[in-house]
Amino acid sequence: MKGYHFGFTAILPLLLLLSGLPLEAGRAWQLNRWDQVIRMPSELEEPGENSTRWAVLVAGSYGYGNYRHQADVCHAYQILKRGGLKDENIVVFMYDDIARNELNPRPGVIINHPQGQDVYAGVPKDYTGEHVTVENFYAVLLGDKNGVKGGSGKVVDSKPNDRIFLYYSNHGGPGVLGMPTIPFLYAKDFIEVLKKKHDSAGYKEMVLYIEACESGSVFEGLMPEDINIYVTTASNAQESSWGTYCPGMNPPPPPEYITCLGDLYSVAWMEDSETHNLKRETIEQQYIEVKDRTSNHKTYNAGSHVMEYGNKSIKGETLHLYQGFDPATEKLPPNKVNLHRPMDAINQRDADLLFLWQRYKKSEDESGNKAKILREITETMQHRIHLDGSINMIGVFLFGPERGPSILSSFRKPGSAIVDDWRCLKSMVQVFETYCGSLTQYGMKHMRAFANICNNGVSESAMKQACQVVCAGHNLGRWHPSKMGYSA
């Protein structure tokens, strides 16, 4: 099976010329369907008169190059809405800069599939723009109306018998999830919020679906098994997740689109939900189906390992308890359609380059846009090279040329969090960004290096000295934290 190398041989000479770096990309496919109907006792269970389904949907990015994240969240909303969840019980976080973006070929419309219908219509605009923050996300989840700043003010005012479904789609890195505003969401803080929600008797059970690179690292070694929360993630603690339905792929988006429409794990669970009777399909069945499709048919050459954490007894329940039930699917068996087909995919961190290249190709020469976009591609690649090189040199400065690279890239034993001292991790990120510039969504992949610097007992002053030496004289320009802010 041939790998999908950014999809397009035409761009490789340009990007290699600019960076000298290979891109991470490949082909992802295939899904085996259930051959038999497995009926569980939970098929007959209903939420009950004193129980409410709640949902929190988070698109953690901004910009047309990240179209797919808001498309994922809008699509999820439509599934839940058809399933009978009320708008008053669905909280949506999205920057909302895609539907009316000047680059959108269908103004006011967002699609999540090459032949898909509009998924933007009717989506609540609870928290948009600068109000899509970690602080507001935590306040909403905790039901803290006084804690939210801006937005609709809607929160998850759930009761002890209620169930909560939380879906997140964006970029991530070891121990962190991105937001369109900064700082990042840090794993330790997030887990503490979940514990606090549990301690307040704010739900019966909760299910989390998390789409992001290294998303398993947010829960590994941290997620308790006794707070009635079940989590699946698009990837394990060490690998990227994947965008799909991108230009040049199979299947391709409509020709007027220059960006990816969805993410592999996300479209896998949503297309599965849409083609099943969710009163009959269990969470575990969906987990197995999505795991197979996201894995590139168990080859993983351009797919990822879907993981599970928390209270695994919950996965025996049927999906309708969290996602609702669409009456139109009542007569569907759990295997109405076969999604066993090729699915091209691209590493999440390369999708922005694909977008920029497509935009460059379609720009008019006389407009001057081509030169401007080419400069943006060049600057983006140069900042990536700067980040990668700076991290490597800091490792050499701190630990020596022989040990530095291996220490920064080392993995802790399975079941361990990436770092013990999360304050140290945030401090190291701030020091690095002060002298070396913003990590950006690409640089999130280096969070493990900062964690290992902490795990090896490096002081803040030693880190400061290393960053000063390595990044001295480098013009941070638009990547300066005074313009970008700090990621921690």
Side-chain angles (χ1 to χ4, degrees):
M1 184 160 45
K2 185 173 69 174
Y4 182 87
H5 299 289
F6 204 32
F8 324 102
T9 56
I11 190 176
L12 289 179
L14 172 63
L15 293 180
L16 291 174
L17 178 64
L18 292 172
S19 68
L21 297 175
L23 290 175
E24 306 165 342
R27 183 181 305 272
W29 61 54
Q30 314 232 343
L31 173 65
N32 292 325
R33 312 301 293 171
W34 289 89
D35 295 325
Q36 297 179 346
V37 175
I38 302 176
R39 298 184 181 275
M40 304 295 292
S42 58
E43 286 187 41
L44 304 177
E45 185 178 354
E46 293 293 341
E49 293 182 2
N50 297 320
S51 178
T52 300
R53 299 183 184 93
W54 292 84
V56 179
L57 309 177
V58 183
S61 66
Y62 69 95
Y64 194 75
N66 286 317
Y67 180 107
R68 61 197 183 280
H69 301 136
Q70 292 184 50
D72 292 338
V73 160
C74 289
H75 189 179
Y77 166 80
Q78 301 298 342
I79 292 172
L80 300 178
K81 186 68 174 178
R82 288 196 300 270
L85 275 73
K86 300 176 182 178
D87 281 353
E88 64 192 64
N89 301 124
I90 304 174
V91 186
V92 179
F93 287 81
M94 57 184 288
Y95 207 78
D96 197 26
D97 61 340
I98 301 301
R100 300 295 178 184
N101 193 289
E102 64 179 4
L103 298 175
N104 189 4
R106 302 180 188 178
V109 171
I110 294 177
I111 61 175
N112 195 221
H113 185 278
Q115 289 81 47
Q117 301 297 312
D118 178 29
V119 295
Y120 182 69
V123 177
K125 313 301 190 301
D126 291 309
Y127 298 91
T128 61
E130 63 181 8
H131 300 134
V132 184
T133 65
V134 173
E135 184 180 13
N136 276 345
F137 171 60
Y138 290 161
V140 164
L141 194 56
L142 292 172
D144 181 6
K145 295 181 180 180
N146 295 324
V148 295
K149 298 178 180 178
S152 68
K154 190 192 302 180
V155 299
V156 179
D157 189 19
S158 51
K159 303 299 186 291
N161 288 327
D162 295 349
R163 288 181 170 88
I164 302 171
F165 176 68
L166 191 159
Y167 167 57
Y168 170 98
S169 178
N170 186 28
H171 296 279
V176 296
L177 298 175
M179 280 290 194
T181 57
I182 51 179
F184 298 150
L185 180 155
Y186 283 77
K188 180 67 172 178
D189 298 334
F190 184 33
I191 299 301
E192 291 303 315
V193 168
L194 296 177
K195 291 178 180 177
K196 186 175 181 180
K197 184 71 173 179
H198 175 263
D199 291 344
S200 69
Y203 63 93
K204 180 178 181 179
E205 292 167 336
M206 190 185 308
V207 169
L208 278 59
Y209 283 9
I210 309 295
E211 169 83 67
C213 294
E214 289 96 9
S215 46
S217 66
V218 175
F219 303 95
E220 187 163 345
L222 294 171
M223 186 68 208
E225 297 181 357
D226 60 354
I227 60 173
N228 292 332
I229 296 177
Y230 174 72
V231 183
T232 77
T233 63
S235 60
N236 65 24
Q238 305 175 15
E239 64 188 351
S240 299
S241 61
W242 299 80
T244 193
Y245 298 146
C246 308
M249 291 187 174
N250 179 27
E256 66 269 26
Y257 283 84
I258 60 174
T259 189
C260 302
L261 303 182
D263 293 289
L264 189 57
Y265 162 89
S266 294
V267 300
W269 80 256
M270 286 186 279
E271 291 175 9
D272 180 82
S273 289
E274 289 180 316
T275 55
H276 290 74
N277 179 334
L278 299 189
K279 285 189 175 182
R280 300 175 66 183
E281 185 180 20
T282 65
I283 296 170
E284 182 175 20
Q285 286 176 311
Q286 182 162 92
Y287 165 73
I288 293 172
E289 299 251 21
V290 171
K291 184 174 183 176
D292 183 56
R293 189 176 180 188
T294 308
S295 72
N296 192 1
H297 197 45
K298 297 182 177 66
T299 63
Y300 301 101
N301 76 326
S304 54
H305 298 74
V306 175
M307 304 296 290
E308 57 180 347
Y309 302 92
N311 184 350
K312 297 181 178 64
S313 69
I314 292 174
K315 64 184 181 180
E317 297 179 342
T318 48
L319 286 162
H320 85 286
L321 295 173
Y322 300 88
Q323 298 179 23
F325 171 69
D326 181 357
T329 67
E330 183 173 5
K331 296 183 180 180
L332 297 184
N335 57 341
K336 186 218 173 191
V337 298
N338 191 340
L339 299 177
H340 188 87
R341 64 174 185 266
M343 283 286 289
D344 288 345
I346 186 169
N347 185 296
Q348 284 252 31
R349 295 189 176 108
D350 289 335
D352 61 335
L353 294 176
L354 169 59
F355 156 68
L356 287 172
W357 178 245
Q358 290 294 317
R359 188 179 179 189
Y360 173 80
K361 288 199 305 180
K362 293 192 175 186
S363 293
E364 300 294 334
D365 287 330
E366 60 270 16
S367 67
N369 281 339
K370 274 191 174 297
K372 181 179 179 181
I373 297 168
L374 186 56
R375 283 196 301 271
E376 186 174 357
I377 294 173
T378 303
E379 290 176 2
T380 299
M381 292 301 298
Q382 288 176 338
H383 189 61
R384 288 185 173 204
I385 295 168
H386 162 68
L387 290 174
D388 294 342
S390 297
I391 293 293
N392 289 335
M393 287 304 300
I394 287 169
V396 170
F397 187 93
L398 293 174
F399 305 111
E402 294 184 358
R403 299 176 60 234
S406 61
I407 288 177
L408 294 190
S409 61
S410 64
F411 298 102
R412 306 183 89 182
K413 64 180 181 180
S416 300
I418 66 162
V419 70
D420 295 321
D421 188 345
W422 289 84
R423 290 184 179 179
C424 175
L425 176 61
K426 293 179 181 181
S427 174
M428 295 303 176
V429 169
Q430 289 179 348
V431 170
F432 176 86
E433 291 188 322
T434 297
Y435 297 99
C436 301
S438 173
L439 285 174
T440 71
Q441 62 190 31
Y442 169 81
M444 296 171 78
K445 73 175 190 175
H446 291 301
M447 295 300 296
R448 189 178 305 279
F450 297 121
N452 286 330
I453 288 171
C454 290
N455 294 336
N456 280 271
V458 174
S459 67
E460 184 176 333
S461 60
M463 179 65 169
K464 179 179 179 179
Q465 183 181 16
C467 292
Q468 286 176 321
V469 170
V470 170
C471 297
H474 182 78
N475 183 10
L476 300 183
R478 66 187 177 110
W479 313 109
H480 195 281
S482 65
K483 299 177 181 179
M484 302 287 292
Y486 286 95
S487 302

